[in-house]
Amino acid sequence: VVLNSFNLKNKVAVITGGAGLLGRKHAEAILEANGRVALIDVNETRLNEVANELESKHGKNMVATFKVDITQKEAVQSSLEQIKKIFGNAPQILINNAAIDPKFDKSKTDKPGSRLENFSVDQWNMEISVGLTGSLICAQVFGHEMAKAGSGVILNVASDLGVVAPDQRIYRQEGLAEDMQNVKPVTYSVIKHGLIGLTKYIATYWAKQGVRCNAFAPGGVFNDHPDAFVQKLTNLIPLGRMAHKDEYKGAILFLVSDASSYMNGATLNMDGGRSVW
Ligand SMILES: NC(=O)c1ccc[n+]([C@@H]2O[C@H](COP(=O)([O-])OP(=O)(O)OC[C@H]3O[C@@H](n4cnc5c(N)ncnc54)[C@H](O)[C@@H]3O)[C@@H](O)[C@H]2O)c1
């Protein structure tokens, strides 16, 4: 029966950025398919909130949380040891989902730091260290364990902006000079394209050890953005709307379960058609 291939009974999934908007949705998808989740995040308050919510629905022994900075390899390594103790086995699923959500600086006087020519190397290094280096570290620690065990799945959460360039026109503000306009930062493109490269590398590197690796490229999720922005963005999307935050759960479950057992090194675009226009 095909539905059985979606069942995650006896599986443990690590979700980085597990306290964020989508991390908790990925967790719901796994729990609803009978899997258990280990949520990793730097935001302890939100981590506890999310864990309480999930535990009240799915049971205390199904969820564990770890306040870990994924840029610190020793901390990630020690979370692996704790996961083994808590759940009795190493995780068979890793979702590299954590990211720095870049905030536009709202100052009207300085030249916006988001612009390519002004972008600081410190900001570049900080964002890359989470989005790319953090994903590498988690793949090293958890992926190596999967390779030793002979099976596992790694899913790297990229973005539609890992497939196409940002259309900077949607971020423009009327009446501002060109050099004062904020833009989607270069790091976002580099990290998300980089994750697709990391995906292909790992997909071939550990294939013989039974570890699959794929990328997921979702489009923007509606989260109370201003109307004017939503209008400009949805003009770029054939389906004419942003995603709902629950709409990726099916794809996540497909990608981390045996339902996608012959999928390896692929990128699944799920963006309302934005990247084909
Ligand atoms: N929300 C969207 O519209 C959208 C669209 C496309 C892709 N994505 C991607 O989906 C993923 C999740 O997005 P989201 O909207 O839930 O973001 P979010 O900002 O709500 O969650 C990201 C989480 O990562 C955590 N984090 C940051 N640095 C960390 C570190 N060093 N170690 C551990 N955790 C760390 C944050 O604390 C946060 O809880 C991201 O990779 C994002 O780029 C999101």
Side-chain angles (χ1 to χ4, degrees), residues 19 42-52 67:
V42 282
N43 188 331
E44 195 167 22
T45 314
R46 288 247 304 276
L47 207 46
N48 291 335
E49 280 168 19
V50 172
N52 286 339
K67 182 179 183 289

Side-chain angles (χ1 to χ4, degrees), residues 15-155:
I15 305 172
T16 71
L21 177 74
L22 291 181
R24 83 166 67 185
K25 294 291 152 190
H26 307 335
E28 281 177 16
I30 286 157
L31 288 162
E32 286 166 18
N34 306 313
R36 291 170 291 171
V37 293
L39 307 178
I40 289 181
D41 208 290
V42 282
N43 188 331
E44 195 167 22
T45 314
R46 288 247 304 276
L47 207 46
N48 291 335
E49 280 168 19
V50 172
N52 286 339
E53 215 178 273
L54 297 173
E55 283 170 354
S56 67
K57 209 164 167 198
H58 298 277
K60 259 205 161 348
N61 56 348
M62 304 302 277
V63 182
T65 60
F66 302 89
K67 182 179 183 289
V68 166
D69 179 345
I70 56 165
T71 65
Q72 305 301 311
K73 190 168 182 182
E74 278 174 21
V76 174
Q77 191 70 50
S78 92
S79 74
L80 167 67
E81 303 313 323
Q82 291 174 61
I83 289 167
K84 284 191 201 165
K85 275 199 199 119
I86 293 170
F87 289 126
N89 52 280
Q92 301 93 338
I93 297 166
L94 164 66
I95 306 182
N96 275 322
N97 167 80
I100 298 289
D101 186 15
K103 295 270 176 290
F104 287 157
D105 75 56
K106 295 268 184 333
S107 65
K108 290 273 183 281
T109 46
D110 293 339
K111 301 276 186 226
S114 60
R115 296 189 66 78
L116 183 67
E117 58 277 26
N118 307 334
F119 205 78
S120 85
V121 170
D122 285 348
Q123 184 71 15
W124 166 277
N125 286 337
M126 191 273 282
E127 290 183 28
I128 301 257
S129 76
V130 175
L132 279 179
T133 316
S135 298
L136 168 74
I137 289 172
C138 290
Q140 288 178 319
V141 171
F142 299 112
H144 186 215
E145 200 71 13
M146 294 174 199
K148 284 192 285 182
S151 77
V153 184
I154 298 173
L155 178 62

Side-chain angles (χ1 to χ4, degrees), residues 120-253:
S120 85
V121 170
D122 285 348
Q123 184 71 15
W124 166 277
N125 286 337
M126 191 273 282
E127 290 183 28
I128 301 257
S129 76
V130 175
L132 279 179
T133 316
S135 298
L136 168 74
I137 289 172
C138 290
Q140 288 178 319
V141 171
F142 299 112
H144 186 215
E145 200 71 13
M146 294 174 199
K148 284 192 285 182
S151 77
V153 184
I154 298 173
L155 178 62
N156 293 320
V157 179
S159 162
D160 51 5
L161 298 185
V163 181
V164 296
D167 186 335
Q168 304 292 7
R169 292 171 297 185
I170 69 175
Y171 307 103
R172 285 187 74 85
Q173 276 183 283
E174 285 303 317
L176 275 186
E178 186 64 24
D179 64 350
M180 295 302 286
Q181 296 284 349
N182 267 303
V183 294
K184 190 78 175 176
V186 61
T187 34
Y188 202 78
S189 284
V190 171
I191 290 165
K192 296 310 187 184
H193 280 78
L195 282 172
I196 291 176
L198 181 67
T199 298
K200 293 177 185 175
Y201 188 97
I202 295 174
T204 55
Y205 188 80
W206 276 324
K208 285 226 166 65
Q209 282 76 27
V211 180
R212 299 188 291 118
C213 182
N214 292 295
F216 184 49
V221 175
F222 179 69
N223 191 22
D224 297 326
H225 300 87
D227 287 348
F229 173 76
V230 173
Q231 188 58 50
K232 285 189 277 185
L233 173 55
T234 53
N235 277 338
L236 302 175
I237 302 172
L239 283 185
R241 63 174 180 83
M242 297 179 76
H244 308 305
K245 60 182 191 290
D246 286 310
E247 246 172 340
Y248 295 131
K249 288 169 67 176
I252 292 290
L253 180 55

Side-chain angles (χ1 to χ4, degrees), residues 256-273:
V256 302
S257 68
D258 287 345
S260 62
S261 55
Y262 198 55
M263 195 160 173
N264 188 33
T267 300
L268 182 66
N269 297 353
M270 195 161 175
D271 57 13

